[in-house]
């Protein structure tokens, strides 16, 4: 037997993706890390290049991945318990570090309980599997992350049990709620906290208030869920994310340890009963090995740092560098989407120019992500810059100088 026939078909599918402009470029491989020095942040070395690069495409907003205390915590846990759990959670694959991280993150997001997953993606899928039934109606923002969309598909939510409201449009959210059949037992309103391609955020205080008006219409009420993967740790006065910034907590918080906290894994936080339902019913939790104790120990340490004066200093520095970069774009007359979050989109609005700018920045030692048609509509072509706490004023100014030179060239 061979896969020759399958390979031929897959080659046609891959060629179609490329023709449509939806294929991914070759993956660059990081082979070296150059620590920060004096007034410059860290640099990264790539296979096939002699240049050192700044990463302006990293989700590690607090730059904790190389923090010596996280490394020490991961090393200590690994030396004590090994590199892998050896089983799923309910077959003695639960270690003290798993429980410790669940207790720590639940307290951090002000919920009674939490359950950790291998990623926020699998957490969203697990939540949908745990709380969805034939009489559950789901309502989501039109710009929700793929993991939320996929979660609804995995849990077999029929089209008549779904509503999509225009991005951050509260009148349209009301329209979706008004359209829910009275036969539904429960309604789930789910949305990103920070929308990762735009850097804007959900008005959670308004969403919670609107949903409260419909609470009595359904047997199990209206459950609000935020996926705050890009907000948790990097947003809000103390890093509690978009709910803290907006001044309102939804019923359920989904998030990740793989962005601001610099580690790996995801979580669901909510009531103790909901979390037990997740433990009993979420396939993406039940049938897979959990995070390593190293991941858990490092994530616990990251949360401790976030709640310390050092964490507050990192947040302050991150906000200052984000503001510096945004002001720099304004000074250059370049278009962005307003907001305080360290995701800063540069609206290029031209596919060819976006590709040209990504290549130009790469040639000058800066890694960024470009979004072009058909991934985004024509006219919405964007470069996403992500500011990290490791970026220095000199780093920010260097990138702004490059942008100024690029856009001033005829």
């Amino acid at each position: 037997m061979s896969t020759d026939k399958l390979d031929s078909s897959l080659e046609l599918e891959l060629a179609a993706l490329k023709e449509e402009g939806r294929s991914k470029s070759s993956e660059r491989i990081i082979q070296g890390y150059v620590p920060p020095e004096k007034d410059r942040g860290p640099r990264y070395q790539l296979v096939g290049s002699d240049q050192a690069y700044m990463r302006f495409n990293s989700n590690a907003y607090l730059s904790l991945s190389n923090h010596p205390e996280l490394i020490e915590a991961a090393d200590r846990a690994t030396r004590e318990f090994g590199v892998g759990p050896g089983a799923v959670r309910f077959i003695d694959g639960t270690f003290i570090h798993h429980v410790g991280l669940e207790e720590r993150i639940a307290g951090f997001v002000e919920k009674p309980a939490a359950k950790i997953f291998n990623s926020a993606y699998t957490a969203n899928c697990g939540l949908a599997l745990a709380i969805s039934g034939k009489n559950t109606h789901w309502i989501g923002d039109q710009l929700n992350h793929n993991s939320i969309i996929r979660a609804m598909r995995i849990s077999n939510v029929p089209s008549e049990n779904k509503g999509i409201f225009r991005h951050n449009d509260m009148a349209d959210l009301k329209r979706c709620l008004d359209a829910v059949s009275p036969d539904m037992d429960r309604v789930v309103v789910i949305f990103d906290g920070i929308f990762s391609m735009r850097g804007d955020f959900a008005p959670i205080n308004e969403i919670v208030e609107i949903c409260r008006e419909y609470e009595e219409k359904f047997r199990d009420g209206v459950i609000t869920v935020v996926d705050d993967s890009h907000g948790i740790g990097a947003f809000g006065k103390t890093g509690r994310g978009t709910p803290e910034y907006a001044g309102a907590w939804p019923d359920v918080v989904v998030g990740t340890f793989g962005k601001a906290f610099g580690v790996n894994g995801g979580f669901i936080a909510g009531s103790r009963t909901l979390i037990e339902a997740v433990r009993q019913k979420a396939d993406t939790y039940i049938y897979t090995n959990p995070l390593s104790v190293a991941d858990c120990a490092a994530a616990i340490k990251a949360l401790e740092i976030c709640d310390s004066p050092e964490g507050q200093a990192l947040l302050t520095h991150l906000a200052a560098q984000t503001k510096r970069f945004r002001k720099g774009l304004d000074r250059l007359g370049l278009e962005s989407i307003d907001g305080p979050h360290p995701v800063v989109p540069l609206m290029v609005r031209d596919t060819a120019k976006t590709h040209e700018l990504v290549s130009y920045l790469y040639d000058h030692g800066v890694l960024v992500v470009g979004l072009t048609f058909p991934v985004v509509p024509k006219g919405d072509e964007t470069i996403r810059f992500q500011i990290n706490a490791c970026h220095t004023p000199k780093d920010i100014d260097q990138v702004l100088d490059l942008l100024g030179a690029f856009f001033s060239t005829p």
Side-chain angles (χ1 to χ4, degrees):
M1 300 293 289
S2 76
T3 62
D4 289 348
K5 291 181 179 180
L6 172 63
D7 290 344
S8 296
S9 293
L10 291 176
E11 284 172 4
L12 292 174
E13 293 175 21
L14 293 170
L17 285 175
K18 188 172 183 179
E19 179 69 22
E20 295 165 6
R22 295 192 293 125
S23 64
K24 305 293 186 295
S25 58
S26 299
E27 295 177 6
R28 296 185 288 248
I29 303 170
I30 296 172
Q31 66 173 352
Y33 172 78
V34 183
E37 184 179 355
K38 295 181 180 178
D39 58 353
R40 69 149 183 82
R43 300 293 189 266
Y44 295 83
Q45 296 166 327
L46 304 180
V47 170
S49 175
D50 295 328
Q51 193 164 196
Y53 294 86
M54 287 188 284
R55 291 190 67 186
F56 274 74
N57 59 355
S58 170
N59 299 317
Y61 301 114
L62 293 182
S63 302
L64 292 175
S65 296
N66 295 92
H67 195 291
E69 291 186 32
L70 269 70
I71 295 171
E72 168 60 26
D75 181 66
R76 187 167 56 249
T78 300
R79 291 183 183 281
E80 184 174 3
F81 291 107
V83 297
V88 297
R89 290 285 297 267
F90 74 95
I91 307 180
D92 296 330
T94 296
F95 288 70
I96 190 171
H97 297 81
H98 298 117
V99 176
L101 179 54
E102 287 166 345
E103 292 174 349
R104 192 70 174 79
I105 191 61
F108 191 81
V109 298
E110 302 182 16
K111 295 297 178 186
K115 194 57 61 179
I116 58 174
F117 286 73
N118 286 316
S119 66
Y121 200 111
T122 55
N124 275 323
C125 293
L127 178 67
L129 290 165
I131 68 173
S132 198
K134 65 179 182 178
N135 290 327
T136 304
H137 191 99
W138 289 76
I139 298 174
D141 189 290
Q142 71 178 129
L143 297 186
N144 275 348
H145 189 266
N146 176 273
S147 61
I148 296 174
I149 297 167
R150 183 62 63 182
M152 292 186 194
R153 291 175 182 168
I154 287 174
S155 58
N156 296 316
V157 179
S159 58
E160 62 269 22
N161 284 17
K162 284 190 285 190
I164 305 297
F165 62 93
R166 290 187 295 272
H167 178 54
N168 280 350
D169 187 327
M170 297 300 97
D172 207 38
L173 170 59
K174 283 189 174 185
R175 176 191 64 79
C176 289
L177 285 162
D178 287 334
V180 179
S181 168
D183 295 333
M184 292 294 103
D185 292 335
R186 68 188 68 148
V187 177
V188 181
V189 176
I190 188 166
F191 45 90
D192 285 12
I194 300 295
F195 292 87
S196 61
M197 296 302 171
R198 299 169 51 88
D200 59 352
F201 59 91
I204 297 180
N205 53 327
E206 297 178 48
I207 293 172
V208 169
E209 187 61 32
I210 289 169
C211 290
R212 189 174 289 122
E213 297 172 15
Y214 294 81
E215 179 74 11
E216 299 304 319
K217 288 186 64 175
F218 308 100
R219 187 194 72 184
D220 298 338
V222 180
I223 300 95
T224 51
V225 181
V226 64
D227 178 346
D228 204 29
S229 291
H230 284 267
I232 190 77
F235 201 48
K237 185 177 180 181
T238 65
R240 260 71 181 172
T242 312
E244 181 180 45
Y245 186 88
W249 286 93
D251 300 305
V252 184
V253 178
V254 177
T256 184
F257 304 110
K259 293 181 171 58
F261 298 130
V263 192
N264 194 27
F267 67 88
I268 301 169
S271 71
R272 294 191 184 281
T273 301
L274 181 139
I275 296 305
E276 177 61 13
V278 166
R279 191 179 78 87
Q280 296 288 348
K281 299 173 65 178
D283 290 1
T284 53
Y285 173 85
I286 297 169
Y287 298 109
T288 187
N289 276 8
L291 294 171
S292 70
V293 292
D295 282 323
C296 295
I300 292 170
K301 181 55 67 174
L303 284 160
E304 291 175 2
I305 290 172
C306 283
D307 265 347
S308 73
E310 180 184 359
Q312 194 61 54
L314 287 170
L315 275 172
T316 300
H317 177 77
L318 176 62
Q321 299 320 302
T322 300
K323 189 174 183 179
R324 186 184 191 95
F325 187 69
R326 288 185 177 274
K327 282 189 170 182
L329 293 182
D330 291 342
R331 189 171 61 251
L332 292 169
L334 301 177
E335 181 187 359
S336 185
I337 297 174
D338 289 338
H341 190 270
V343 167
V344 186
L346 172 61
M347 309 306 294
V348 183
R349 301 198 182 282
D350 180 89
T351 291
K353 198 159 193 174
T354 299
H355 288 311
E356 184 184 352
L357 180 51
V358 170
S359 296
Y360 170 83
L361 291 171
Y362 176 83
D363 291 342
H364 289 81
V366 182
L367 303 178
V368 294
V369 172
L371 305 169
T372 58
F373 178 81
V375 176
V376 296
K378 285 184 177 179
D380 284 351
E381 292 87 352
T382 307
I383 290 180
R384 181 178 70 174
F385 290 88
Q386 292 169 278
I387 312 303
N388 288 184
C390 66
H391 293 143
T392 67
K394 184 175 181 179
D395 294 336
I396 298 293
D397 292 346
Q398 182 178 336
V399 175
L400 290 169
D401 288 344
L402 288 169
L403 291 174
F406 178 85
F407 284 101
S408 64
T409 302

